[in-house]
Amino acid sequence: MKINEHFLQLKDSYLFATVGRKTAAYKAAHPDKDVIRLSIGDVTLPLAPVVIEAMHKAVDDMSHKETFKGYGPDQYCYGYEALIDSIKRSYARKGVALASSEVFISDGAKSDCGNILDIFSDDNVVLVPDPVYPVYLDTNVMAGRKIVFADATEENGFLPMPDDSVKADIIYICSPNNPTGAAYTREQLKAWVDHARARDAVILYDAAYEHFVTDDKFARSIYEVEGAKECAIELCSYSKTAGFTGVRCGYTIVPEALVRQGVSLNKLWARRQSTKFNGVSYITQMGAAAVFTDCGERQIADNINYYRRNAKIIADCLDSLGIWYTGGKNSPYIWLKCPNGMSSWEFFDYLLENAQVVGTPGSGFGKNGEGFFRLTAFGSEENTRKACARIKALLQK
Ligand code: PLP
C-alpha cells in the first residue's frame, strides 16, 4: 500500500487556527473586554421564510407513502426538475440561456471545486491567483498538478489579467473574489475568455458571491461574456446567496458546448457524478428551489442588503481614514492595506489589543496578501458599527 504522497506537499493551514488561538488567549487574559469578530466567513442571518416553508412541506412529503422520495431522478444526476428550472430562470434573468442537462446540483461549491478535477488529467498546469481561496490550491496539490500563480496586487487592483507568456490549462477565477472582494468587469472577463479559448484552456469560474454584485458593469455569471460556454465551467452556491452554509446546496454549470480533445466535458462530468455522487437530499433541494422564486428573491435580498449595509459601514470607515481597500461594494469582503506599513499579523495584534476587533491577516491567503487584511460584513450591524467606531478612534489618533 502506498499513500498519495502529494498530500505531504500540502502546507499546514495555520490561518484560522492561529486567529482562533490568539483571540481565545486575548479573551482569557481580558475577560472584561468585548471582542468583536469581523473575521466571520459564515453567514449569520437565518434562512428566508419561503425556504423554511418549502423544507417543511418537503418533510411532510417524506412522511406519506404517496409522496415519499428516495434517490433523486437520474435524468439530471439526481437534481429535481423544479430546482433545475428555478436555476435556469435565474440565469435567464442575467440573459443566459441554459439547458437542463447543463445544470448539476451539488452539496456546495467547495465539494465541486475539488470534485471537478476528476475529469482533468493530472499533468495539466493550473493557474491560481495569489492571494487565493485555499481550496483551489490544495485540491490541485493533492493531485500533484503543477501550479503557477497570477499575481494579484495593489497595482492591478487585485484583479490579475491574462499573461500570454504563461502556459496554463486550467484557470481559476473567483469574482467577486474571496478574500479580496475585487470583481471583474465583463470586459476584463472577456479578456480571460479570449485567452482561454486561444489556448484550449478551461476556466473554473467561482461565482459563490455573485448575488452581492450591484453595479451593472460587473458580471454575475461568466456566461454573460460571449464565448464563455466554449471554455468555462461555473461553480455556484446557495451558501452566501441564501444562507445555506449549514444546509448545503450548490450548482455547477458545465455547458454542452465545452469540448476538449473531441470529448464533451458535460458528459464526462455527468459520468463522474453518477458514479461517485448520489445527489442532494430532497428536502434541501425543495428549500433551494424556493430561493429563485419571486418571493424567494425578495426575501434573500433583505438578508443580502443587510450584509451590504455592513460592508458600506466598513468601507465608509476606511474612506474616512484614507485607507486603501478593494471590495466592500459588490462583495461582503473588504480587503484593506494595513496602515503605517504594518505586516498582516502586526495589524491583527494591534487591532485586537487596542480595539478588540478581530479580522483575518491577508498573508494567510498567499504571499501577495502580506501587508493586507480582510474584514467581512457577515456580523451583526450593531457589532459592525461598534467595531468601526473603535477602528476609527484608534487609527485617526
Ligand atoms: N467558493 C468561495 C470563493 C468561497 O468563499 C466559499 C466559502 O466560503 C465557497 C466556494 C464554498 O461554498 P459552499 O458553502 O457552497 O461549499
Side-chain angles (χ1 to χ4, degrees), residues 41 108-111 133 136 174 178 206 208-209 237 239-240 248 333:
K110 188 177 190 176
S111 330
Y133 174 56
Y136 311 152
C174 175
N178 178 15
D206 187 337
Y209 297 96
S237 166
S239 283
K240 309 298 159 85
R248 311 303 308 140
Y333 296 116

Side-chain angles (χ1 to χ4, degrees), residues 67-222:
T67 48
F68 169 78
K69 300 283 187 295
Y71 292 121
D74 346 294
Q75 191 185 5
Y76 300 122
C77 288
Y78 318 112
Y80 283 91
E81 253 179 285
L83 177 55
I84 290 175
D85 286 346
S86 74
I87 293 167
K88 283 166 61 184
R89 279 198 303 276
S90 152
Y91 272 91
R93 284 196 280 273
K94 300 171 212 168
V96 176
L98 293 178
S100 299
S101 58
E102 296 177 310
V103 182
F104 294 85
I105 307 303
S106 73
D107 63 351
K110 188 177 190 176
S111 330
D112 271 9
C113 270
N115 295 338
I116 196 75
L117 296 173
D118 273 7
I119 65 172
F120 299 110
S121 165
D122 288 349
D123 58 14
N124 283 304
V125 177
V126 178
L127 181 71
V128 298
D130 175 349
V132 66
Y133 174 56
V135 175
Y136 311 152
L137 186 60
D138 288 352
T139 50
N140 281 291
V141 170
M142 287 172 182
R145 286 196 187 86
K146 181 176 174 207
I147 295 163
V148 289
F149 292 95
D151 285 324
T153 60
E154 184 178 353
E155 288 66 44
N156 60 27
F158 286 92
L159 292 168
M161 294 303 293
D163 174 349
D164 288 343
S165 69
V166 174
K167 170 166 173 15
D169 308 298
I170 299 172
I171 298 168
Y172 282 86
I173 299 178
C174 175
S175 178
N177 189 273
N178 178 15
T180 70
Y184 283 109
T185 62
R186 281 190 198 86
E187 285 64 38
Q188 288 171 318
L189 281 182
K190 176 84 173 86
W192 276 111
V193 165
D194 291 346
H195 174 84
R197 290 182 70 190
R199 279 154 191 78
D200 264 356
V202 171
I203 294 174
L204 298 180
Y205 186 80
D206 187 337
Y209 297 96
E210 56 97 10
H211 254 72
F212 284 85
V213 170
T214 42
D215 188 333
D216 192 46
K217 68 176 191 276
F218 299 106
R220 288 181 51 186
S221 161
I222 195 164

